[in-house]
Amino acid sequence: MRTERTQVAIVGAGPAGLLLSHLLHRRGIGSVVLEIRSREYVERRVRAGVLEQGTVDTLMEAGVGERMAREGLPHHGIELRYGGRGHRIAFERLVPGRRITVYGQQEVVKDLIAARLADGGRIDFEVSDVAVHDIDTDAPSVTYVDASGERVRLECDVIAGCDGFHGVTRPSIPEGVLTVYERDYPFAWLGVLARVRPSAEELIYARTERGFALHSMRSSEVSRFYLQVEPDEGLEAWPDERIWAELKTRLETVPGFTLETGPIMEKGITPMRSFVVEPMQYGRLYLAGDAAHIVPPTGAKGLNLAVADVRVLTEALVAWFRTGSAELLEGYSRACLKRVWRAQHFSWWMTTLLHTFDSDDAYGRRLQLSYLDYVTSSEAAATTLAENYVGLPFEKGPHD
């Protein structure tokens, strides 16, 4: 077994792990990123595409936002569509100076990988048999098999678990340490990526009696759509013709709107889940992003929460390596969870506001419509939606 050493071992080359490695490098702290998938797979994996204002600012400040600034699609509002009418939530009026940017997660990942490699950073792709050891000591390590088949022991000071919901780092924490909060929803999302120009300039969230639909986009030539479906549905039940017919039924509900159709490039079904573990740390292991929490995608918070976690963890690690003070590291979970739970509530609220639940629950449907009427007619309610959607400002840290 080959033995190596780094300051921070990062498990997972998604946005959380790559951004953490990049931010640490800019502050003079070394890291190695381990990823079980290939670089090609990671860079092509389609995920979220709505970036909060704070996420955009973070990427720009980190020097990895040039292509995003050039190719991303800034949005100053969203539309809530229900009852045969569209209602715009105007960010530029409700939360002046703050907006969202549509830029695919895979594009963020490409930018971060390019930046790390250009700086001489190390990302080991296609590793296997990853395991973390001695996380409750001051000498943790990660063992794995590299792409060539050689076994490696990576000694480090800290391990960052950025390996997602199904990763190996969270299960390595002893049983009984973590408290799990979770909720499963009685539906899933069918996601579609299509080579067709967007039919609207901003995102459309549509609530219908047949279920929820979302019109989004990835570029001026590629659109992203979602349909609420049964949780046990398979893709074989959704040929392209049925997908377009259902999208038209749920989205073409206002006068003058026509949904453009085109070739479908990718489709997949995603379960809807809310999940949080507390604390997000144990010993020298710190969880970030989907390894610690999952939100239903209705509120577009998953990637943005990962960035928020990494900002907190970076400052804590910098303080510890430079001064020996563990105060920020000890408060890592507490600092992150405040924002996590705000995003959990917003995502749950958006989900329950727009999706069809029990078809026999006439009372529940009337409550939904009543609250939609309130949100689209009350300046205060619309502002609450807007400020949560574009992302609450980051709290000032000790180094800001």
Side-chain angles (χ1 to χ4, degrees), residues 75-113:
H75 285 199
H76 299 272
I78 59 172
E79 179 184 327
L80 301 182
R81 184 172 292 187
Y82 68 99
R85 296 181 60 192
H87 306 264
R88 185 170 184 266
I89 305 298
F91 302 155
E92 73 274 11
R93 178 174 57 83
L94 299 166
V95 283
R98 301 184 68 77
R99 65 188 186 185
I100 60 166
T101 297
V102 175
Y103 188 66
Q105 175 173 309
Q106 72 273 20
E107 306 304 324
V108 174
V109 166
K110 290 176 188 175
D111 296 340
L112 287 168
I113 289 175

Side-chain angles (χ1 to χ4, degrees), residues 167-305:
V168 301
T169 57
R170 189 181 67 246
S172 69
I173 296 175
E175 186 175 352
V177 171
L178 300 178
T179 301
V180 176
Y181 303 89
E182 58 187 329
R183 173 168 295 177
D184 291 321
Y185 296 86
F187 40 75
W189 269 17
L190 168 62
V192 174
L193 194 68
R195 191 168 298 283
V196 59
R197 293 179 64 86
S199 300
E201 294 183 355
E202 297 177 337
L203 278 71
I204 302 172
Y205 287 77
R207 186 265 182 208
T208 76
E209 292 298 320
R210 296 178 64 88
F212 169 78
L214 173 60
H215 173 292
S216 184
M217 60 285 293
R218 288 296 177 267
S219 72
S220 60
E221 301 296 333
V222 176
S223 297
R224 183 76 163 151
F225 303 97
Y226 296 96
L227 284 168
Q228 176 186 347
V229 298
E230 294 298 320
D232 56 353
E233 294 241 35
L235 285 177
E236 66 279 357
W238 287 94
D240 294 2
E241 296 78 11
R242 184 186 177 193
I243 290 173
W244 286 122
E246 193 62 29
L247 282 169
K248 280 180 167 288
T249 299
R250 299 189 194 184
L251 289 169
E252 291 183 346
T253 57
V254 299
F257 179 84
T258 301
L259 181 68
E260 299 294 330
T261 64
I264 291 178
M265 299 183 291
E266 294 183 24
K267 52 186 171 181
I269 294 179
T270 303
M272 301 284 278
R273 173 188 295 117
S274 296
F275 175 87
V276 182
V277 294
E278 295 186 11
M280 293 169 51
Q281 62 194 93
Y282 175 75
R284 292 287 182 90
L285 172 63
Y286 299 86
L287 304 177
D290 287 358
H293 41 73
I294 298 286
V295 290
T298 325
K301 294 301 170 200
L303 168 60
N304 296 294
L305 278 180

Side-chain angles (χ1 to χ4, degrees), residues 1-4 122 124 144 146 148 150-154:
M1 182 181 291
R2 184 175 83 244
T3 300
E4 299 182 344
R122 179 172 159 191
D124 285 9
Y144 63 98
D146 68 16
S148 71
E150 184 176 5
R151 292 195 62 82
V152 181
R153 180 181 185 86
L154 182 62

